[in-house]
Amino acid sequence: MEDLLTHEEYRAISVGLMLPTTAFIDGAYRPAASGATFETLNPATGAVLAKIAACGAEDVDFAVAKAREAFDDGRWSKLHPSARKDILIRLAKLITRNARELAVLESLDSGKTIYDCETVDLPETIHCLKWHAEAVDKIYDQVAPASDDHIAMIVREPVGVVGLVLPWNFPLLMLAWKIGPALAAGCSVVVKPAEETSMTALRVAELAIEAGVPKGVFNVVPGSGPEVGEPLGRHMDVDMVSFTGSTDTGRRFLRYAADSNLKEVVLEMGGKNPCIVLEDAENLDRVASHVVNGAFWNMGENCSAASRLIVQASIKDALLARILAHAREWSLGDPLDPETRIGALVSKAHFDKVAGYLKAGVKTHLGGGTEGGAWVEPTVMDVERLSPAAREEIFGPVLSVMTVTGFDEAIALANDTEYGLAASIFTSNIKRGLRGARALRAGTVTVNAFGEGDVSTPFGGYKASGFGGRDNGLHAHDQYTQLKTIWVDLADDEDEAVG
């Protein structure tokens, strides 16, 4: 990415943006069959950005039919892997050329800071697509051990037509996490973006056609969950759904699959992620920096956010002093100002939900304030272990602090949750760190850092945080492929007769 622009320059770009507003099906923009639209708002101002096509079951049927047609005739699914790789790399290059436009569009539509869009979301989106593109022709099939009279081949085949259901907190990056391996595998996709954040997915679909992805392979159908998500989940000609979002909605997709064609379902859902800091942790200032970043990055609208600080009592005060110092650097403001670190929450409804956890009577060390129906101050507060703030996913810039006396109590408290997406542990004793990592019931555990790994490492959760597969890494390709055994009998007829 280029160097960041000024606040005024980003504002100027925002004024001149062409906003995609209709569905993208079979290689072209199309209005909803009903002609209906819904308003998408700028979370920071409450102003209407655009009216987006409010699609329904008829549009889902059309998109799935075109995706099936493209899959069955092999225009993409039977293309040589190296050819698919070349096209996906061209798509990554086109996103790079249009990165600034996409970053501003993402910020306007979601309330995310332009700083995060420019320095995190766009670079990682591009890297993700390149990574999966390069993996296309490097994933080998297998030959199983068999007798001299047989060959047993285990081959991967694309699963077919895939529904990709996106969240609103990382619209572009979650799109890349899903289309990267899905398109690499040879699948056709029907993307359902979050109702709050539809526009960047639509623009990327247009760029995909320019890159050479055939018509019908990459479709985007905007609309509500009941009108688009449910018909997609229940569709008899959709072979698999990959969903990222809330746990409650994830459960619905399992029901949709059970009630229809038993399509495969992969779910990446919520988290209430613990960050354990033991008394032997080194460099508390560095630890505090990781804790603050883990709690407040992307306004805390992050399923892997380090939202529960579990700290050993003997160092609590010293660590909190450093956390508060770092947290004060996270300024609220216009998301298009590159100095802003805390942007607007995605919607008024979500703001109300987050603000509801900031109740009187809780000991607040920092923050707790709200502004303009869109911003919540970075908040650090003590919580009771059984309180809603300690157990429920807040999905805002709120760090809940709990105190323990030792290692075993910290692990037990960390695991006392229905979720199991991510966790972190800080200690100078690497054996204790690894024992803790093994004991924590989470899909990703970091030691002496906050993070999610990178594109090469699988991402997903235990318990109510995930089901059916993983995003990222070569493991992500598994969910978009079927395994087939081909058994070849080499025995001569004469040998069989003798036997």
Side-chain angles (χ1 to χ4, degrees):
M1 296 293 294
E2 303 171 33
D3 292 335
L4 295 175
L5 302 180
T6 66
H7 189 187
E8 292 72 20
E9 287 170 322
Y10 284 119
R11 282 182 173 274
I13 291 172
S14 71
V15 172
L17 281 179
M18 297 293 292
L19 304 180
T21 59
T22 59
F24 195 90
I25 302 174
D26 199 30
Y29 284 116
R30 303 169 186 271
S34 67
T37 61
F38 65 91
E39 293 180 344
T40 187
L41 306 180
N42 180 339
T45 65
V48 176
L49 281 172
K51 292 185 177 181
I52 307 292
C55 294
E58 185 177 352
D59 303 288
V60 173
D61 288 344
F62 180 57
V64 171
K66 289 301 179 180
R68 174 61 63 191
E69 179 183 310
F71 183 80
D72 288 348
D73 69 22
R75 69 186 75 164
W76 182 253
S77 59
K78 293 182 174 62
L79 203 61
H80 193 280
S82 63
R84 292 203 299 271
K85 176 182 74 173
D86 291 343
I87 292 171
L88 289 176
I89 289 175
R90 282 202 295 272
L91 173 57
K93 290 179 178 178
L94 284 171
I95 293 174
T96 302
R97 291 177 199 166
N98 293 274
R100 182 135 285 154
E101 167 207 339
L102 286 165
V104 173
L105 187 58
E106 187 93 320
S107 180
L108 288 174
D109 209 16
S110 68
K112 295 168 69 76
T113 66
I114 193 65
Y115 178 87
D116 282 348
C117 293
E118 287 264 39
T119 64
V120 179
D121 294 54
L122 263 299
E124 289 194 11
T125 293
I126 294 161
H127 179 57
C128 177
L129 290 176
K130 286 181 179 177
W131 196 91
H132 287 293
E134 289 290 356
V136 171
D137 54 2
K138 300 172 185 67
I139 299 177
Y140 288 76
D141 294 328
Q142 299 168 311
V143 177
S147 73
D148 287 345
D149 291 332
H150 302 88
I151 291 179
M153 295 181 287
I154 303 168
V155 299
R156 295 169 179 259
E157 297 180 347
V159 72
V161 175
V162 174
L164 304 177
V165 184
L166 307 181
W168 46 253
N169 58 333
F170 291 95
L172 267 173
L173 189 53
M174 294 303 98
L175 175 70
W177 278 22
K178 295 184 187 299
I179 65 170
L183 294 178
C187 298
S188 295
V189 303
V190 178
V191 177
K192 191 270 181 215
E195 193 172 359
E196 296 88 346
T197 55
S198 302
M199 291 192 286
T200 49
L202 291 165
R203 179 68 176 120
V204 171
E206 181 182 17
L207 292 175
I209 292 294
E210 186 178 342
V213 175
K215 293 192 306 180
V217 172
F218 186 170
N219 309 279
V220 180
V221 184
S224 70
E227 296 298 323
V228 174
E230 183 172 349
L232 189 62
R234 293 185 180 278
H235 205 289
M236 297 297 291
D237 209 21
V238 171
D239 300 295
M240 178 258 181
V241 165
S242 178
F243 166 82
T244 297
S246 73
T247 299
D248 286 344
T249 303
R251 288 191 174 100
R252 292 193 189 102
F253 277 97
L254 291 178
R255 296 188 190 103
Y256 301 156
D259 292 343
S260 56
N261 60 343
L262 287 175
K263 59 177 63 66
E264 297 181 39
V265 178
V266 174
L267 304 177
E268 196 279 284
M269 302 181 290
K272 190 67 176 176
N273 310 294
C275 174
I276 297 171
V277 183
L278 299 176
E279 63 184 0
D280 64 350
E282 295 179 329
N283 192 344
L284 288 185
D285 189 65
R286 180 178 178 277
V287 172
S289 177
H290 277 280
V291 172
V292 167
N293 184 55
F296 301 145
W297 170 49
N298 202 53
M299 296 79 71
E301 295 174 331
N302 180 12
C303 56
S304 62
S307 57
R308 286 191 295 153
L309 174 61
I310 299 172
V311 58
Q312 205 158 349
S314 59
I315 61 165
K316 177 184 176 183
D317 291 343
L319 178 61
L320 274 179
R322 290 164 173 82
I323 286 174
L324 300 184
H326 282 280
R328 291 187 181 100
E329 299 172 1
W330 288 65
S331 58
L332 279 68
D334 184 348
L336 288 180
D337 184 343
E339 299 298 320
T340 296
R341 298 300 304 278
I342 298 285
L345 297 187
V346 72
S347 68
K348 180 61 166 60
H350 185 59
F351 167 85
D352 291 340
K353 172 182 176 288
V354 174
Y357 287 95
L358 308 179
K359 298 176 180 176
V362 177
K363 182 180 178 182
T364 300
H365 299 280
L366 180 76
T370 59
E371 295 183 15
W375 285 268
V376 171
E377 292 179 342
T379 300
V380 180
M381 63 186 189
D382 287 342
V383 297
E384 297 294 332
R385 296 185 181 188
L386 298 180
S387 68
R391 304 191 67 82
E392 298 174 8
E393 186 178 37
I394 298 175
F395 227 59
V398 179
L399 178 63
S400 300
V401 182
M402 291 171 280
T403 307
V404 294
T405 58
F407 175 81
D408 291 336
E409 184 185 2
I411 296 297
L413 180 56
N415 285 333
D416 184 20
T417 174
E418 67 175 316
Y419 297 109
L421 186 57
S424 54
I425 183 168
F426 291 83
T427 174
S428 61
N429 185 325
I430 191 61
K431 289 184 179 180
R432 184 178 295 148
L434 289 174
R435 286 202 306 272
R438 289 285 187 90
L440 288 164
R441 299 280 295 163
T444 297
V445 181
T446 55
V447 180
N448 293 328
F450 165 76
E452 298 176 348
D454 64 15
V455 71
S456 69
T457 58
F459 182 84
Y462 291 17
K463 301 186 282 186
S465 288
F467 179 92
R470 291 290 189 265
D471 291 320
N472 283 342
L474 292 178
H475 303 78
H477 292 248
D478 294 343
Q479 61 189 329
Y480 300 107
T481 58
Q482 289 277 21
L483 290 180
K484 176 180 285 185
T485 296
I486 299 177
W487 184 270
V488 182
D489 191 335
L490 302 177
D492 292 334
D493 291 343
E494 182 178 334
D495 293 338
E496 291 182 349
V498 172

